[in-house]
Amino acid sequence: MMDFIEALKVIFLGIVEGVTEWLPISSTGHMLLVDEFLQLKMSEQFKEMFFVVIQLGAILAVVFLFWSKMFPFQFKDKSQSIVKKETFSIWFKVVVACVPGAIVTLLFDDYIEAHLHTPPIIAAMLILYGAAFIAVENLNKRRTPRIETLSTISYADALLIGLFQVLSIIPGTSRSGATIVGALLIGVSRVAAAEFTFFLAVPVMFGLSIIKIIKFGLVFTSHELFVLLLGMAVAFAVSLLVIKFLMGYIKKHDFKLFGFYRIVLGAVILIYFAFLR
């Protein structure tokens, strides 16, 4: 059975995942960095899988909150259902957006895991995309979004957003950060960009989780299963609060605060690993 300290570490990692999965500040980057200081007493193979699959808890939170928007059927009674064509259209666009990332992940995931999951890379990506958020938001001050709602995103727009999502394969970039920056650049409003990011996260994270579980071997000890389920449960609960906060925040504010946070955190990481470690 897991000891109390290890359980606290898993709970803390779940909190970090729940907060950082939806805020554009890189969940994987934060999880890897936290593990530098609060290392779980697990095998490296398990931790590599855990840092991805724990995100399923966060994904289930967004499905729970956006079920009415994501589910393409509406039931009037037990014998009659209505197909929501607009919702189906959004999901088809999400599939288009997933294609570039799926190809790149299948081709380069092992190389990325082996060579780029390092603190300097994470720090550099935090700073780079932090600056990108600030630059894009300054640019958007002088223009009006051409796409205000989720339903008006075209297939071409979806593909462009998907190409930006490819960048998130590098740790520290942030999947939500890359897609939101891309969406803002092509003229999508903040709310529509965030909502499309939520839709896009569902197949992407389910797909990545399946790949990681298969690579791990589909066999878990009771201890490993408890760690995984505890982390997912905490990520789910925290994500419910964070998603509600984010949707309320971006209706009145821009993303520059997250950009500044990324730059400061990236600088702290570079200093720590260069001079203090």
Side-chain angles (χ1 to χ4, degrees):
M1 187 66 182
M2 179 185 297
D3 65 48
F4 181 68
I5 298 300
E6 287 299 296
L8 286 179
K9 290 179 183 179
V10 175
I11 291 170
F12 184 73
L13 285 167
I15 293 171
V16 171
E17 164 58 27
V19 172
T20 60
E21 180 62 37
W22 305 114
L23 302 184
I25 53 179
S26 176
S27 61
T28 303
H30 278 75
M31 297 284 280
L32 290 171
L33 291 168
V34 169
D35 188 55
E36 285 283 331
F37 303 97
L38 297 176
Q39 293 195 0
L40 289 175
K41 295 178 181 177
M42 310 292 289
S43 70
E44 289 301 318
Q45 292 81 3
F46 176 83
K47 286 197 290 187
E48 178 185 324
M49 180 274 298
F50 173 79
F51 288 154
V52 173
V53 178
I54 190 179
Q55 296 175 60
L56 282 179
I59 299 306
L60 291 174
V62 82
V63 172
F64 177 80
L65 290 174
F66 286 83
W67 179 255
S68 61
K69 283 191 174 186
M70 290 184 169
F71 191 62
F73 300 100
Q74 181 178 343
F75 296 100
K76 280 192 170 183
D77 53 50
K78 294 183 179 180
S79 62
Q80 185 180 15
S81 64
I82 298 173
V83 176
K84 296 188 288 185
K85 294 182 179 179
E86 182 178 294
T87 304
F88 264 115
S89 176
I90 293 169
W91 279 117
F92 289 143
K93 293 168 187 175
V94 166
V95 171
V96 169
C98 286
V99 171
I103 294 172
V104 172
T105 298
L106 289 172
L107 291 176
F108 299 108
D109 185 56
D110 288 340
Y111 177 84
I112 297 293
E113 290 282 355
H115 298 91
L116 298 185
H117 276 227
T118 64
I121 294 291
I122 292 169
M125 292 301 101
L126 283 166
I127 293 171
L128 177 62
Y129 283 89
F133 265 114
I134 296 168
V136 170
E137 287 291 14
N138 286 336
L139 174 65
N140 282 346
K141 283 183 178 180
R142 301 189 293 273
R143 62 178 185 171
T144 301
R146 64 180 180 85
I147 301 169
E148 291 284 357
T149 62
L150 187 63
S151 61
T152 53
I153 293 176
S154 69
Y155 283 94
D157 296 325
L159 180 59
L160 286 172
I161 294 171
L163 290 172
F164 275 96
Q165 184 184 234
V166 169
L167 301 172
S168 67
I169 194 173
I170 302 175
T173 299
S174 169
R175 182 196 52 76
S176 62
T179 54
I180 288 172
V181 164
L184 293 176
L185 271 175
I186 66 173
V188 181
S189 70
R190 294 187 191 97
V191 172
E195 288 182 345
F196 192 76
T197 296
F198 295 155
F199 269 79
L200 193 54
V202 175
V204 168
M205 294 316 306
F206 270 109
L208 285 175
S209 295
I210 290 171
I211 291 172
K212 292 296 184 183
I213 290 173
I214 291 173
K215 284 184 177 180
F216 183 72
L218 297 173
V219 178
F220 299 91
T221 65
S222 58
H223 178 67
E224 290 170 339
L225 188 60
F226 179 78
V227 168
L228 194 57
L229 292 177
L230 176 60
M232 288 172 58
V234 175
F236 173 83
V238 174
S239 290
L240 293 176
L241 300 175
V242 172
I243 292 168
K244 290 180 179 179
F245 160 77
L246 179 64
M247 294 310 295
Y249 179 88
I250 61 177
K251 289 177 181 178
K252 299 179 180 179
H253 306 88
D254 60 27
F255 284 102
K256 286 199 289 186
L257 177 63
F258 302 114
F260 288 119
Y261 170 82
R262 292 176 65 104
I263 291 170
V264 171
L265 179 61
V268 169
I269 292 167
L270 285 177
I271 293 169
Y272 172 80
F273 283 94
F275 302 107
L276 302 177
R277 191 181 187 191

